């Protein structure tokens, strides 16, 4: 849709944005820059006026003060994008809007809402004749302004009206918009949640790679920045690798030290990573890399415990790698392999969620729209897209020929990194858990057989046999004969 087609002929706005903090303001500006007339609303009118004062020359904005005035400024079907804090504030705005809107109008929640809340809200709005869209939006402040990745769920008919607008403001890669209809009700927010979980794992792996170069090889921070900058010209090319080099290159103006050395080593989180892990547990999907990343942030913030534990002995430690260049290459290979595991687990969770809720999510389409705009955009998403194009029912990304070959080529490096880190007392929870997951996945037999035997012993939970059909129980407290259940 070009700018001429987008401009309003009715004098009313094609889209309204309520909630004009930085993300909301930037996405409103993005719409305006693409030729849409945008109605603005915020509980604090000062934010509305500030946006118009600072950026009013970027397009057509309609200033409103009340919800009634805001809704009246919109053409039918009305489209309202909510950009407020998730939870109760979102519910409050939805109710206020719903009371002022008419059947067929569209409410879009662009925040990081929990997907089960979106399922509930979509059902409630549908009962009132309104279309409710839960849209995951990734890319941060810059993406919101210049082109995010957008993951809208909700009724298919709502996408007919809303989709062209969202696709026009989304990031574009190879002429394709980083936006597609994900599926019904909470699907959009579900895949955005998993996207964020993968993001947690990605950042934890990068952090572990940095820590290994710093502690095992005693490299200066500036030199580590150069390593990441070089890696960004290889198969590891990604937004997160790119900005890692930028952050590590930053020098603190006050102390002259690398900025990373004056930042408190306690990582925050807003909840989407925890939601991903909780959902994975409910679905029975082992997202071990994501879980370890969440737990690593939690441990980093356990400052009192960490301070008290500083005197704990490390035991006999090994020697640092003698060949620094080789170990850097080992870290690179381990980072790539562990990254593949994180994405494989995330896409497994998306497949399980899609099956559980009947969403029919296209994993290949997700890889397509995540190539631009979003935080986890990376070169190898093209490979993921190709893998699902070749086999839409692919059991695991690790089994796609390209990724299988890449991981198998780096397996020796991966093992050297994990073993060296362990011998040096350097924590690598994401590297190690990813390797263990890989080894468990490829194992012919797992100790789960013993687990089932123990469960049957103390709780008569039964077991199955490898040599015949059926379910069985051993009379452990009796004559220990086996009976069929």
């Amino acid at each position: 849709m070009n700018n001429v087609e987008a401009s309003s002929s009715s004098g009313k706005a094609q889209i309204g944005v309520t909630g004009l903090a930085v993300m909301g303001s930037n996405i409103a500006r993005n719409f305006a820059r693409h030729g849409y007339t945008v109605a603005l609303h915020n509980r604090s009118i000062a934010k509305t006026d500030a946006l118009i004062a600072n950026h009013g020359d970027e397009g057509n904005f309609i200033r409103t003060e009340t919800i009634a005035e805001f809704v009246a400024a919109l053409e039918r079907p009305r489209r309202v994008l909510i950009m407020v804090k998730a939870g109760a504030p979102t519910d409050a705005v939805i109710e206020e809007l719903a009371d002022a809107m008419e059947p067929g109008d569209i409410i879009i929640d662009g925040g990081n809402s929990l997907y089960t809340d979106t399922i509930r809200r979509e059902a409630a709005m549908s009962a009132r004749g309104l279309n409710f869209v839960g849209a995951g939006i990734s890319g941060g402040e810059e993406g919101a302004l210049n082109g995010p990745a957008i993951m809208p769920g909700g009724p298919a008919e709502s996408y007919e009206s809303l989709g062209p607008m969202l696709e026009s403001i989304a990031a574009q890669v190879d002429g394709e918009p980083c936006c597609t209809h994900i599926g019904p009700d909470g699907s959009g927010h579900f895949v955005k949640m998993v996207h964020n979980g993968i993001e947690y794992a990605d950042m934890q792996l990068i952090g572990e790679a940095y820590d290994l170069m710093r502690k095992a090889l005693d490299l200066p921070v500036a030199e580590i920045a150069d390593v990441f900058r070089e890696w960004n010209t290889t198969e590891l090319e990604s937004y997160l690798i790119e900005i890692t080099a930028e952050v590590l290159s930053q020098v603190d103006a006050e102390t002259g030290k690398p900025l990373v050395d004056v930042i408190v080593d306690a990582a925050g989180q807003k909840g989407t990573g925890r939601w991903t892990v909780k959902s994975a547990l409910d679905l029975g999907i082992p997202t071990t890399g994501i879980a370890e990343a969440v737990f690593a942030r939690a441990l980093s913030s356990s400052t009192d415990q960490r301070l008290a534990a500083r005197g704990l002995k490390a035991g006999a430690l090994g020697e640092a790698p003698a060949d620094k260049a080789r170990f850097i290459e080992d870290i690179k290979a381990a980072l790539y392999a562990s990254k593949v595991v994180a994405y494989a687990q995330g896409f497994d969770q998306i497949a399980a969620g899609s099956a559980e809720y009947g969403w029919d999510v296209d994993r290949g389409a997700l890889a397509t729209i995540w190539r631009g705009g979003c935080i986890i955009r990376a070169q190898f998403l093209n490979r993921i897209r190709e893998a699902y194009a070749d086999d839409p029912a692919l059991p695991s990304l690790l089994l796609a020929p390209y990724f299988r070959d890449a991981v198998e080529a780096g397996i020796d490096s991966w093992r050297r990194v994990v073993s060296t880190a362990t011998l040096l007392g350097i924590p690598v929870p994401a590297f190690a858990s990813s390797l263990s997951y890989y080894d468990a996945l490829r194992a012919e037999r797992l100790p789960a057989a013993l687990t089932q035997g123990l469960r049957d012993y103390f709780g008569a939970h039964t077991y199955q046999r490898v040599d015949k059909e059926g379910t069985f129980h051993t009379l452990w407290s009796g004559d220990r004969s086996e009976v069929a259940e």
Side-chain angles (χ1 to χ4, degrees):
M1 181 178 288
N2 60 42
N3 290 354
V4 174
E5 291 171 331
S7 61
S8 175
S9 59
S10 66
K12 292 194 173 186
Q14 293 97 355
I15 186 79
V17 179
T18 179
L20 300 177
V22 177
M23 282 290 291
S25 293
N26 280 4
I27 207 161
R29 292 168 58 195
N30 191 348
F31 276 116
R33 288 177 173 187
H34 282 82
Y36 297 104
T37 300
V38 185
L40 303 174
H41 174 266
N42 196 78
R43 290 193 181 279
S44 167
I45 299 170
K47 286 190 176 180
T48 306
D49 290 339
L51 190 159
I52 292 173
N54 295 325
H55 306 288
D57 60 349
E58 294 182 353
N60 297 320
F61 298 103
I62 298 177
R63 177 187 183 278
T64 71
E65 296 188 5
T66 67
I67 286 290
E69 187 181 359
F70 178 57
V71 170
L74 296 164
E75 67 180 27
R76 297 290 310 277
R78 300 180 181 92
R79 310 171 192 90
V80 174
L81 175 62
I82 302 172
M83 297 295 291
V84 302
K85 186 176 179 181
T90 296
D91 277 317
V93 174
I94 290 169
E95 283 303 312
E96 195 172 1
L97 283 169
D99 288 342
M101 296 174 87
E102 299 176 81
D105 290 346
I106 305 169
I107 298 175
I108 312 112
D109 175 13
N112 275 333
S113 290
L114 182 60
Y115 71 96
T116 50
D117 286 342
T118 304
I119 292 172
R120 167 179 57 81
R121 290 164 179 157
E122 197 277 333
M125 293 301 103
S126 178
R128 298 173 66 167
L130 298 172
N131 289 310
F132 186 81
V133 173
I137 300 176
S138 178
E141 298 171 10
E142 179 186 352
L145 181 61
N146 298 314
I150 309 177
M151 297 150 260
E157 58 268 25
S158 68
Y159 196 77
E160 294 176 9
S161 167
L162 184 63
M165 298 180 68
L166 296 180
E167 289 177 10
S168 70
I169 69 159
Q172 310 287 317
V173 176
D174 297 332
E176 295 180 272
C178 294
C179 173
T180 191
H181 183 239
I182 303 299
D185 52 67
S187 59
H189 278 142
F190 181 88
V191 300
K192 174 56 163 60
M193 174 193 74
V194 177
H195 162 286
N196 285 20
I198 295 171
E199 178 186 310
Y200 272 56
D202 219 340
M203 285 193 283
Q204 176 64 25
L205 291 166
I206 289 170
E208 291 177 15
Y210 153 78
D211 208 33
L212 283 164
M213 284 186 272
R214 191 87 189 265
K215 294 175 180 174
L217 300 180
D218 198 28
L219 294 185
V221 174
E223 193 170 329
I224 299 172
D226 289 339
V227 171
F228 277 101
R229 195 168 284 113
E230 191 277 326
W231 284 355
N232 200 45
T233 65
T234 70
E235 67 274 11
L236 281 172
E237 180 188 348
S238 68
Y239 173 69
L240 285 171
I241 294 289
E242 175 189 347
I243 67 172
T244 296
E246 294 299 316
V247 171
L248 292 177
S249 298
Q250 184 69 20
V251 175
D252 177 51
E254 186 173 337
T255 64
K257 297 178 180 179
L259 179 64
V260 72
D261 284 348
V262 299
I263 297 175
V264 174
D265 60 336
Q269 50 184 307
K270 291 187 175 180
T272 48
R274 289 195 302 270
W275 291 349
T276 305
V277 175
K278 289 178 182 178
S279 167
L281 288 170
D282 289 339
L283 293 167
I285 302 300
T287 56
T288 55
I290 296 170
E292 288 295 349
V294 173
F295 294 145
R297 291 198 192 188
L299 179 57
S300 75
S301 298
S302 301
T303 50
D304 291 342
Q305 283 182 308
R306 290 177 59 205
L307 183 62
R310 281 186 184 173
L312 293 177
K313 292 187 176 181
L317 298 178
E319 297 292 327
D323 189 336
K324 290 187 177 182
R326 179 189 177 188
F327 194 62
I328 289 172
E329 285 302 306
D330 284 346
I331 295 171
K332 177 186 175 185
L335 176 57
Y336 190 80
S338 299
K339 182 184 177 83
V340 174
V341 168
Y343 279 75
Q345 292 177 347
F347 276 92
D348 287 349
Q349 183 172 354
I350 288 169
S354 178
E356 175 72 16
Y357 295 101
W359 289 330
D360 195 24
V361 175
D362 182 343
R363 290 176 291 175
L366 290 184
T368 299
I369 68 170
W370 286 352
R371 294 180 303 158
C374 70
I375 302 302
I376 64 171
R377 59 186 182 267
Q379 181 191 89
F380 92 149
L381 280 159
N382 282 310
R383 297 292 189 176
I384 296 177
R385 180 191 192 194
E386 292 166 5
Y388 285 117
D390 292 341
D391 183 2
L394 186 68
S396 169
L397 275 178
L398 288 162
L399 300 176
Y402 173 83
F403 291 113
R404 178 173 183 159
D405 291 347
V407 171
E408 288 179 346
I411 189 65
D412 292 341
S413 292
W414 203 0
R415 294 197 191 285
R416 281 194 294 268
V417 166
V418 172
S419 59
T420 300
T422 302
L423 289 170
L424 292 175
I426 301 171
V428 286
F431 276 144
S433 68
S434 298
L435 178 57
S436 289
Y437 173 85
Y438 174 81
D439 282 337
L441 194 65
R442 68 179 187 82
E444 186 174 337
R445 289 279 290 173
L446 292 171
L450 176 57
T451 301
Q452 280 301 95
L454 294 172
R455 293 179 72 240
D456 189 59
Y457 188 105
F458 66 69
H461 291 294
T462 73
Y463 53 85
Q464 294 175 314
R465 296 177 58 98
V466 298
D467 54 0
K468 54 185 172 182
E469 295 294 323
T471 302
F472 303 90
H473 167 59
T474 292
L475 301 174
W476 298 101
S477 59
D479 63 3
R480 299 208 172 188
S481 61
E482 183 180 78
V483 295
E485 291 291 313

